[in-house]
Amino acid sequence: MRVLGIETSCDETSAAIVEERDDDLRPWLVRSNVVASQVDIHRAWGGIVPELSARQHIRDICGVVERALEDAGPVAAGTPPYDVIAVTQGPGLVGSLLVGLSFAKSLAWSRNVPFVPVHHLAGHIESLVLEGGEMPVPAVVLVVSGGHTSLYRVPARGVYERLGRTRDDAAGEAYDKVAKLLGLGYPGGPVIDRLAAEGNERAVALPRTRLTHPDRNAPDLPGHHDFSFSGLKTSVARYVAQRRTALGLSADAPLPEGDVRDLCASFQRVVAGTLLDALFDAARDAGARSVGIAGGVSANSRLRRDALARGAAAGLPVFVPALSLSTDNAAMIAAAGLRAFRAGARGEWSVNADASLPLRPV
Ligand code: KG4
Ligand code: ZN
């Protein structure tokens, strides 16, 4: 069975073909995964402009889907190119989501195949399975991207229970805001990651936020697995202002390169430490048999390296996606859709895009 995945929740138009295999440990094979990134369009504005994003998805979607079908290679005569369509329903930018969802519904209708609406974060979690095979459960997965920083317990395949989430900025958002502050452009993650490798990570003392009290807005969560990154971002801003004054620079002058590298390294050390402390604490509390890190920030070199080292020390297998599966892509949506389809999920024609869709078990 082949699944066509479609993802348009943010600034990437993506389509993929994922094939089911007769292998319980490695159930899915990525046949193609085409991603058209809009990053060059949004860079000029310093962040994503929702209306521009939706319009660009409309321009790109046909070509991206055609390319994914071509790249997947031929199917046997008389066999359809895909048996089911999986599409991101939410969360995300509503105009962008609508492009993918409407396209998927139209295609499903005209080709007479079923479609499955998918939660974007279920996609990120299932990207781990595409790369490393099925995770031993219970597992604890950190989903960390530009829009999300959340911890999930996965007690059984396809079941996702939220343990904590950020109360303000997502970790990727903190990367993007700090990069903007330092004049490093958008997106901030890759460039800070590169500069951090050349800096002194102990040069700048930055605070590490550890929450202990429950969040009044989320009484169902224990609270101590939550994150907060806005204080860190403010500390970086304050440090940059002080440093400019100390060096006699004007209020918007760039800092010297050495200062920027040290600041990036110090910032990255705090972010990676905060995320991994929370992940491994939650894994211990949940009696996890494996841990995973998914989402755009899982591309971070320091986070990957430290996660593998901590996993080895704790005797826990660590799952991280291939770089091509860490940022937004449709292969992960196809994987999550296939799991949901096998559990009986089917999309109704009335299904609508939902910018703040909750993640429910399939
Ligand atoms: O998952 P994703 O593609 O989109 C969202 O759903 O948000 O994640 C994008 C985020 C951006 O904030 C970007 O700065 C961050 O992932 N990112 C990184 C790295 N590569 C991308 N953050 C830290 N280190 C990286 N190497
Ligand atoms: Zn994402």
Side-chain angles (χ1 to χ4, degrees):
M1 169 180 256
R2 283 186 174 198
V3 187
L4 168 64
I6 295 179
E7 152 67 36
T8 61
S9 69
C10 195
D11 62 341
E12 259 102 30
T13 317
S14 182
I17 294 283
V18 169
E19 193 171 275
E20 196 175 31
R21 303 200 304 179
D22 197 14
D23 179 341
D24 195 42
L25 282 181
R26 285 187 166 268
W28 303 315
L29 178 71
V30 180
R31 284 261 166 217
S32 64
N33 189 21
V34 178
V35 181
S37 175
Q38 304 176 353
V39 75
D40 290 336
I41 293 166
H42 300 294
R43 187 174 284 128
W45 306 93
I48 296 167
V49 184
E51 183 61 26
L52 291 181
S53 169
R55 285 166 191 244
Q56 193 60 32
H57 284 306
I58 293 172
R59 288 186 198 105
D60 287 339
I61 186 101
C62 287
V64 165
V65 170
E66 276 170 8
R67 181 69 176 273
L69 292 172
E70 259 170 46
D71 286 3
V75 284
T79 314
Y82 47 86
D83 307 277
V84 53
I85 301 173
V87 60
T88 309
Q89 184 194 357
L93 305 171
V94 76
S96 301
L97 288 164
L98 271 171
V99 177
L101 186 63
S102 310
F103 189 91
K105 284 204 275 189
S106 316
L107 204 55
W109 175 275
S110 61
R111 300 274 180 210
N112 199 23
V113 295
F115 81 98
V116 185
V118 172
H119 192 285
H120 183 76
L121 296 190
H124 275 301
I125 294 172
E126 300 301 348
S127 72
L128 298 171
V129 178
L130 282 176
E131 178 67 10
E134 293 286 9
M135 298 179 74
V137 288
V140 171
V141 177
L142 170 70
V143 180
V144 63
S145 70
H148 303 273
T149 301
S150 301
L151 271 171
Y152 288 93
R153 191 173 107 88
V154 182
R157 291 173 187 174
V159 182
Y160 320 107
E161 297 170 356
R162 196 165 67 172
L163 298 171
R165 48 115 206 221
T166 182
R167 295 199 194 165
D168 40 60
D169 293 349
E173 193 179 352
Y175 266 94
D176 295 337
K177 287 180 176 172
V178 165
K180 198 169 180 178
L181 200 77
L182 294 171
L184 299 174
Y186 172 86
V191 56
I192 292 184
D193 195 3
R194 185 165 44 75
L195 292 171
E198 301 157 11
N200 173 5
E201 63 178 32
R202 305 217 172 242
V204 186
L206 294 169
R208 197 184 268 214
T209 309
R210 199 80 217 248
L211 295 167
T212 50
H213 57 286
D215 179 359
R216 259 179 286 135
N217 297 321
D220 55 316
L221 297 177
H224 62 279
H225 292 311
D226 283 353
F227 302 93
S228 166
F229 288 103
S230 71
L232 175 61
K233 173 200 64 193
T234 308
S235 300
V236 171
R238 205 175 299 129
Y239 176 81
V240 170
Q242 280 166 358
R243 199 72 193 126
R244 281 193 181 121
T245 309
L247 295 170
L249 298 171
S250 67
D252 53 0
L255 290 185
E257 274 179 31
D259 283 49
V260 171
R261 283 196 287 264
D262 288 351
L263 187 51
C264 288
S266 304
F267 168 77
Q268 182 146 291
R269 182 170 82 96
V270 172
V271 175
T274 306
L275 292 172
L276 293 179
D277 282 355
L279 173 63
F280 282 92
D281 283 358
R284 192 196 49 225
D285 292 357
R289 292 178 56 226
S290 63
V291 296
I293 308 178
V297 181
S298 73
N300 187 263
S301 59
R302 167 103 201 225
L303 192 63
R304 285 177 172 244
R305 198 172 55 236
D306 291 359
L308 292 173
R310 287 209 203 188
L316 277 177
V318 177
F319 286 67
V320 279
L323 288 181
S324 61
L325 295 175
S326 70
T327 45
D328 290 347
N329 67 88
M332 69 185 197
I333 301 303
L338 188 46
R339 196 178 299 285
F341 183 75
R342 286 299 183 205
R346 301 288 183 275
E348 303 279 336
W349 298 120
S350 58
V351 162
N352 205 352
D354 186 343
S356 49
L357 184 72
L359 179 53
R360 296 195 193 88
V362 292

